[in-house]
Each structure stands twice: as structure tokens, then as C-alpha cells.
Amino acid sequence: MTTRDHDIVLFGATGFTGKLVAEYLARHGGARSVRWAIAGRNEAKLEAVKRDLVAIDPALADLPVLVADGHDQASLDAIVPKTRVVCSTVGPFGVHGRKLAATCARRGTHYCDITGEVPFIRASIDENHDQAVETRARIVHCCGFDSIPSDLGVFILWDHARKLGGSLAWTKGFVGEMSGTASGGTAATMLALVEEATRDPKVRRLLGNPHALDPEVPRGHDRDPFEADVRGVAFDSDIDRWTAPFVMSSINTRIVRRSNALLHYGEPFRYRELMSLPKGPRGFVAACAVTAGMAGFTLSAALPPTRALLARFVLPKAGEGPSKEARDRGHFTLRFVAEGTTGTATPLRVKATVKGTSDPGYGETAKMLGQSCLCLAMDADALEPRYGVLTPASAMGMTLVDRLRREGMTFAVEGD
Ligand SMILES: NC(=O)c1ccc[n+]([C@@H]2O[C@H](COP(=O)([O-])OP(=O)(O)OC[C@H]3O[C@@H](n4cnc5c(N)ncnc54)[C@H](OP(=O)(O)O)[C@@H]3O)[C@@H](O)[C@H]2O)c1
């Protein structure tokens, strides 16, 4: 790998999120010692992105610009073996991303992305895991808001428990105060996923399986109610707040469970994720509104006429997303509560908080993905020798937590 031309190739640098990641790398001192390049399918758009980057840092006048299309195998074969890491923001990943992930697995190139699409990740596990183990590539999906805060939040709880000689049992993640909006690419991806699920019963079954991303997908019907997807409003006495379904828990829970399957957090380990709202009557009304809003959106996205209306009049278009002011106003807080064992008669009770200080899906996602690709490129000696289709926690664990802490994110544990 040391003989490769680039350390990182950012694929999709012309998109809304890709530009933010490029800007993040351009502003980040840590990337100065890294040989990075931007890539995409449209050379003129890439050159315009490069001009903006040179305005941030004139040293980027030499930044290589590479042209490739996610559907053109020859163009991917020309780029992937020449870099140590590919960082991709080209989505919907299920539509444009399969060849790229497979090429990285085949060519022994580390890979990270910001997909939140369960069917794409399942296909990547089935197609690429064994190959990536053989070529010693780390293929790491979900390095954005879905699912780094959930995945690393549970990881730091486990790290705390194992330092006490213990392990985790049941664990809950609560998405609390949050402000942020969606981009055109995210909207297109959500609509594509609902449309695929409406059309294909196999996709519906996969999406409904709480362990869809485990190494082997269990088929049994004796599913644990604790791990069933949350559908309604309830009061949770562990945090003394009202709770409602959280839109991204359908991906975050699957990633946390895959991390457990790879790292063994506890036996049995169980994870559940919800949105939390204040405890009084206003919290109850807000929880009902969130639940109704999610059900309404899913129904509208599932029916072709309302899906077309959503795409045309309501949701942002490709390349659009929240303004810089809106991104700077954004934030999020996740709280975790877990019980486990310490090897003594007293059960372990432990809490954690994960916080971000800008828009979760864009400001913080650019940071999380930017740090993930830097971590894969620069911290090889600090990472566990684990390869294949991994999760952020199982690929980068505490090394990535430390990087994100240095960038202003909070990862805090309190407990026995
Ligand atoms: N996990 C998270 O927290 C998170 C956060 C944000 C976004 N996302 C996901 O990231 C993805 C991108 O979102 P976005 O809003 O940035 O989308 P976007 O602005 O529409 O950008 C899409 C990018 O993909 C490129 N592209 C499309 N088809 C391609 C192909 N065949 N070959 C090469 N490049 C191709 C586009 O190139 P052109 O410029 O040439 O069209 C563009 O650079 C979505 O799937 C979204 O769900 C996830």
C-alpha cells in the first residue's frame, strides 16, 4: 500500500456532502501531510470544486482531479488500486455504489462512506466481506450521522465495562435535543429505499429484521421484543422522558448489533434506540407529533402519486442542502443507558453522552467522514488487525473516538 499514488481519494466531491468533506479536509491541518485527491464523474464540476479548495488553501493547487463513474468498472479499476483509502459520498449507494465497494475489497483498498441503506450494506457484506478479509481491506459503511454517534456511543460504554472486567447486557440509546435538515441526496436515497421496499418483499423482510446486518441473518420468529423497532409513544422510566420512534434507528440499531457480533459486547447483548422528549404534557404531545409525522412520511413515500409530489414540491433537489448558517445552528445529543456485569454480584449501571455542535447530517457528518478517512489512512498501526466489511466501532474504535474528541465532539461515560 505504501507504493500507491494517493492516501485518500474523495469520490463524489461535487455533491452537496462531498463538497463539505472536501472543504473539511482542505481546512484541516491534519490533512496537510496526506496525499489526497478528488474524484467524480464530471471533470468541469471537479475543477470548479478544486478552485474553491485552492481559495481556502493555495497549497492545494496541485490537488489531483480524477474522473470515474460508479457504473464504469474500467474507470474504477484505474483509480482504486492507486489509493490507500476511498472515501465515498456518491449516493444513493444502492444505485451507484456497489461496484466501487466491490473494487475496493478486490484491490485491498480501505473504504469508508456515509450510506444508511440496509439492503446495500447487506449486499456489500455478502459480496465483499470474505474478499476484503483476504486482501486485508477495511470496508466501513455508515461513517456519518448514521451511524457513528450510536455505534461509538455504545462502544465507549463497552470499553468502560470491559476495563472493569465486565460486559454489557441491555443498552438503550436516546436521541434527544437535535436540530438539522436533509439534503437532496438524502431525500432521493430515502425515497429510493421506500420505493424498493414497496416493490420487493425480500427487501421488506430484510428491513424488518433487527439483525439484518449480522454476519448471518437469523430467520427465526422468536424475536426479542426489546429489539423490535419502536413504532409508538411510551414513557421510559430509565430516563424519565417520553419516547417516540427515531427515523434513523432502523439503520443505527443494525450497525450497533453488527458491532456486537464482531466485538462481543456481552451475552446476551441487546440494543434499542428511540427519540426522547421532555417528560411533561408538552413532551407527550411532541412524541405523538413525531410518531404521526414519521408514519405520514412513510405512507406518502410508499404511494407513487404522493411520492412524486414529495420529490417535486416538498423535498430538496440533488446538490441542495442546508445553508452554512443553518448548519452552524445545528446540533445533536444522544444519551445512552446500559446495564451489564462487572464479574461481581453488583450489576453494572452505566451512562454515556455523545454530542455534536453543528448540523448532524452535514457539518458533523463532514467531520465524522473526514476523520474516518484520515484514521484509515494515517492510523493503521493503532488499529486492530481486523478486516472485511466492518462497522466504525469494529474498524476504528477508540482511535476514531479520540480523533472526534479532538475535533470538538463529546464522548463521555459516567457510571460505576
Ligand atoms: N449518513 C449520513 O449521515 C449522511 C449525511 C448526508 C448524506 N448522506 C448520503 O450521502 C449521499 C449523498 O448525498 P448528497 O446530498 O451529497 O447528494 P448529491 O448532492 O446529490 O451528490 C451526489 C454525488 O454523487 C455523484 N454521482 C451520482 N451518480 C454518480 C455516478 N454514477 N458516478 C459517480 N458519481 C456519481 C454526483 O455527481 P454529479 O455532481 O456529477 O452529479 C454527486 O457528486 C446520499 O445517499 C445521502 O443519503 C448520508
Side-chain angles (χ1 to χ4, degrees), residues 11-19 39-43 45-46 68-72 76 88-97 113-117 142-147 181-190 248 317-321 360-362 364-366 368:
F11 193 51
T14 57
F16 184 77
T17 318
K19 276 187 204 162
R41 61 180 170 176
N42 183 322
E43 191 168 9
K45 278 171 108 175
L46 286 166
D69 189 301
H71 299 280
D72 176 358
L76 299 176
S88 179
T89 56
V90 172
F93 290 83
V95 179
H96 305 302
D113 71 22
I114 47 170
T115 185
E117 299 156 55
C142 295
C143 295
F145 182 55
D146 32 340
S147 302
T181 45
S183 67
T186 297
T189 302
M190 281 160 71
M248 282 160 183
K317 307 283 173 292
E320 293 177 4
Y362 303 94
E364 294 303 278
T365 286
M368 291 186 268

Side-chain angles (χ1 to χ4, degrees), residues 166-178:
S167 59
L168 296 179
W170 66 256
T171 304
K172 293 182 192 174
F174 297 96
V175 181
E177 306 81 86
M178 184 170 91

